[in-house]
Amino acid sequence: MKNRLWLVSLLGGALCGLAWYDNASGLIMLIAFVPFIYIFQYNINKKDQARLVFLSVLPGFLLFNILTISWLRNASIAGAIYAVTANFFLMSSVFWIAALIYKRSSSSFLGYTSLITFWIILEHINTRVSILTPWLNLGNTLGNDPLFIQWYDVTGITGGTLWILLCNLAIFRIIFSLDKTGNKLLKNIIIFLLLFLIPSGISFYTYSRNPRECADAGFVIIQPNIDPYSEKFSDYPFELQLRKMLKLAEKNIGDDTDWIILPETAIDDPFYEENVLRNKYYLMIDSLLDKYPGVSLLTGATTMRSYHELDKELPPGALRINNSRVYYELYNTAMQVNPDSVIHFYHKSKLVPGIEKRIRTLPDFIKDKIIPDLGGTMTGYGSQDERTVFFHPDSISRLAPVICYESVYGDFVTGYIRKSANVIVIITNDGWWEDTAGYKQHLMFARIRAIENRRAVARAANTGISCFIDRKGNIIQQAAWWEEGVLKHSLNLNNEMTFYSANGDFISRYVTIFGVFILVITFIAAPIRKLRDPSLRSG
């Protein structure tokens, strides 16, 4: 059997990958880790070295990552190789660490507790370290199954990860207690049923309840369908691109329209924010809004700010203009234009590493070879630390302007909600990934953000999928992929704060503290105790 563990590992990887496909159910993940847990326990029973656990699960996690995120190769082959390699190595390392603790402690309880603990810690690290990504955090897998995850408004996706791991462990115990006494098998079945049915029942009940009535706002979403590879940065002038979007918007503005939403980098011709009132793109927008005084517009744009060499607030990433004393910083921006000529900017804070976030440690000749220029900047974007909320002039609707990759970060999005946002607006350009699983997975995260914060979502994507999502994570209207389209809908403006919005990823924070405690007990306190107690040393 030992020589065939790689087949068991590949089975686990195939099941994990299948759970991410949009025509399958994320609930597959509730059994997908059973093969990996079997490998874990098999090596422990055979008293093999912990590194053999690492090597045994490696093929499965490699397959898992290839099946789910290999679409990154459409933009960057090097980026895809890095993401796949980093993910499957770190995932396998969690099993290695847990095996070490299991062997040192001789405790199955501590071993499996460590497995769950350090997996959640890995996911927490993914949300905090910019060169990693939370894209494949397990709780994300259930985004297309909103009926089962309404309790994410308390736990966020970390609760989903915990649920997945516990259910897999329970199923493993059922399978490998089939030859045991009837009482043990029955006990394990009951444990699994409770683990599955209690969260599901809570979710079904929450899903069936009608949300409290509240005010609403009318939205018009524009999906211009401009090919980012062959059109957006070639022979299609930015001015004509914006004119096309504004014409589509004007045809669909009605008496109930409060907001027009254009996608990320709808204006990708950089301009200085301090000169915006003289900018031709702003003047085009302002000309439209003059006709409709009750309408505000949110658009993606590429903007700049200038700084002087002596400025105290000179950002560390600012670039010098030629040999002058003037510097500038470039931003991936969400811009709000109100009918009263008041303009607000928000600069994307969660930048895509290597593409939007400059990797300063790499020589230029290497960066030019491995980092794609996705219509952005090879010099990197600046960012801002705090969230900005866009207020409609009537102050009733307050938008969270989430830009593309930021929607992957649940705890990050709660920062908008705590600043009183009552609608989430996601602007993105998923055309870089072409017709792959990438844009479908990205859409799935928007559904999770809606559930976590009980906020309706308006999602404007350049090439799709633009849509409206209700507070339960249901897609209530959407445009087709890679087709020009306009969506109109009124969204509820919920001002109630969920537990998750108020507390963020509290589970992963507490679990991280617990993980440090496990490491101290296992690798520091226990060895010291053995040195001091001769009876333990001889044993």
Side-chain angles (χ1 to χ4, degrees):
M1 181 63 192
K2 186 173 181 178
N3 295 330
R4 298 181 181 177
L5 285 181
W6 65 275
L7 289 174
V8 178
S9 182
L10 290 177
L11 173 62
L15 288 171
C16 288
L18 180 62
W20 276 84
Y21 279 78
D22 62 307
N23 51 0
S25 171
L27 295 175
I28 295 171
M29 193 59 80
L30 297 179
I31 64 168
F33 262 51
V34 171
F36 296 123
I37 296 173
Y38 170 77
I39 293 171
F40 179 75
Q41 187 63 59
Y42 179 88
N43 280 277
I44 298 296
N45 292 344
K46 294 295 182 180
K47 303 187 183 327
D48 288 331
Q49 294 181 0
R51 62 183 174 83
L52 292 180
V53 176
F54 174 87
L55 295 173
S56 298
V57 299
L58 208 62
F61 285 125
L62 172 59
L63 179 61
F64 171 29
N65 280 270
I66 289 173
L67 290 175
T68 49
I69 59 173
S70 60
W71 47 264
L72 283 166
R73 69 187 183 277
N74 286 38
S76 167
I77 294 176
I81 292 173
Y82 164 74
V84 169
T85 302
N87 274 316
F88 83 76
F89 179 84
L90 291 171
M91 290 174 176
S92 302
S93 296
V94 170
F95 279 75
W96 170 64
I97 293 170
L100 277 177
I101 294 172
Y102 195 151
K103 287 177 174 293
R104 289 212 174 203
S105 64
S106 299
S107 167
S108 61
F109 175 79
L110 188 58
Y112 283 109
T113 300
S114 298
L115 183 60
I116 294 172
T117 297
F118 288 100
W119 190 279
I120 291 175
I121 290 174
L122 170 62
E123 294 196 353
H124 185 60
I125 292 171
N126 286 341
T127 66
R128 295 297 187 272
V129 177
S130 62
I131 61 172
L132 300 176
T133 175
W135 196 282
L136 289 185
N137 286 6
L138 300 185
N140 286 330
T141 322
L142 303 173
N144 286 331
D145 300 282
L147 180 62
F148 289 87
I149 58 169
Q150 294 300 307
W151 39 273
Y152 272 26
D153 63 356
V154 175
T155 69
I157 67 161
T158 309
T161 295
L162 180 60
W163 189 47
I164 287 169
L165 293 174
L166 288 174
C167 284
N168 274 277
L169 183 56
I171 292 172
F172 169 79
R173 290 176 64 87
I174 290 172
I175 294 173
F176 293 96
S177 63
L178 292 176
D179 59 344
K180 307 296 182 184
T181 62
N183 288 339
K184 187 169 185 178
L185 176 60
L186 180 62
K187 175 184 174 183
N188 289 332
I189 291 174
I190 291 173
I191 290 174
F192 169 72
L193 290 175
L194 291 174
L195 280 172
F196 179 75
L197 293 176
I198 291 176
S200 298
I202 293 172
S203 186
F204 295 167
Y205 172 73
T206 305
Y207 189 88
S208 66
R209 296 177 61 192
N210 292 322
R212 176 183 292 183
E213 291 294 325
C214 52
D216 56 23
F219 287 79
V220 173
I221 291 176
I222 307 302
Q223 180 172 299
N225 199 46
I226 299 171
D227 191 321
Y229 287 105
S230 63
E231 292 182 303
K232 191 167 183 66
F233 307 100
S234 56
D235 298 327
Y236 195 167
F238 292 115
E239 192 171 348
L240 294 182
Q241 292 179 33
L242 181 59
R243 182 171 291 125
K244 169 185 177 178
M245 291 180 243
L246 295 180
K247 283 184 177 179
L248 288 171
E250 187 166 17
K251 290 178 182 178
N252 291 273
I253 294 174
D255 293 338
D256 58 347
T257 302
D258 297 293
W259 291 92
I260 299 168
I261 311 296
L262 308 185
E264 179 188 22
T265 59
I267 305 169
D268 208 10
D269 186 6
F271 61 86
Y272 284 102
E273 292 177 5
E274 52 264 43
N275 297 329
V276 64
L277 293 178
R278 297 190 296 274
N279 179 266
K280 61 183 177 181
Y281 302 111
Y282 161 73
L283 293 174
M284 291 168 63
I285 294 170
D286 187 56
S287 176
L288 171 66
L289 296 185
D290 275 345
K291 304 175 189 177
Y292 305 97
V295 178
S296 286
L297 183 143
L298 187 158
T299 181
T302 302
T303 66
M304 299 182 291
R305 283 184 180 173
S306 61
Y307 299 89
H308 193 273
E309 188 176 53
L310 300 179
D311 287 347
K312 293 182 179 179
E313 73 234 18
L314 182 66
L319 300 173
R320 185 192 296 268
I321 299 177
N322 298 323
N323 294 318
S324 69
R325 292 189 172 187
V326 180
Y327 289 72
Y328 76 95
E329 191 166 43
L330 201 66
Y331 306 100
N332 186 345
T333 300
M335 180 174 74
Q336 178 195 5
V337 182
N338 284 337
D340 55 3
S341 299
V342 175
I343 303 158
H344 301 282
F345 298 98
Y346 165 69
H347 302 137
K348 185 177 181 182
S349 302
K350 290 290 186 181
L351 301 172
V352 180
I355 296 174
E356 296 178 318
K357 188 178 180 65
R358 196 187 329 172
I359 302 178
R360 303 174 190 276
T361 56
L362 291 178
D364 289 341
F365 75 92
I366 294 179
K367 286 189 288 187
D368 292 343
K369 295 292 185 184
I370 69 171
I371 298 175
D373 182 7
L374 300 188
T377 169
M378 299 300 285
T379 61
Y381 286 116
S383 61
Q384 68 179 63
D385 295 329
E386 294 296 322
R387 304 308 137 258
T388 297
V389 174
F390 290 163
F391 287 67
H392 192 274
D394 63 14
S395 296
I396 297 175
S397 52
R398 303 182 293 277
L399 272 52
V402 180
I403 305 176
C404 190
Y405 185 58
E406 293 181 329
S407 66
V408 184
Y409 293 82
D411 188 75
F412 175 87
V413 173
T414 64
Y416 294 103
I417 310 305
R418 289 193 289 273
K419 286 197 166 186
S420 78
N422 53 22
V423 174
I424 297 172
V425 171
I426 299 173
I427 57 174
T428 185
N429 182 6
D430 293 340
W432 299 117
W433 320 122
E434 299 183 325
D435 194 8
T436 64
Y439 73 89
K440 299 172 186 176
Q441 293 169 5
H442 197 199
L443 170 62
M444 184 168 65
F445 302 140
R447 305 179 72 176
I448 296 174
R449 303 291 87 84
I451 296 170
E452 288 172 339
N453 300 286
R454 294 299 175 200
R455 296 296 189 269
V457 174
R459 189 176 193 269
N462 171 40
T463 51
I465 295 176
S466 300
C467 64
F468 292 107
I469 303 172
D470 69 17
R471 288 181 273 172
K472 296 179 182 179
N474 298 309
I475 297 175
I476 50 182
Q477 189 180 354
Q478 71 177 56
W481 165 256
W482 213 268
E483 290 183 12
E484 181 183 301
V486 179
L487 298 177
K488 292 181 63 175
H489 196 75
S490 292
L491 294 177
N492 292 138
L493 307 174
N494 183 27
N495 293 301
E496 294 181 351
M497 185 86 68
T498 68
F499 187 87
Y500 180 74
S501 296
N503 296 279
D505 288 330
F506 68 97
I507 293 178
S508 59
R509 291 196 292 270
Y510 292 136
V511 168
T512 299
I513 295 171
F514 181 62
V516 173
F517 176 75
I518 290 176
L519 291 175
V520 170
I521 292 296
T522 305
F523 296 104
I524 298 178
I528 291 175
R529 188 182 170 204
K530 279 190 175 184
L531 288 173
R532 291 180 175 178
D533 191 332
S535 64
L536 292 174
R537 226 175 23 247
S538 62

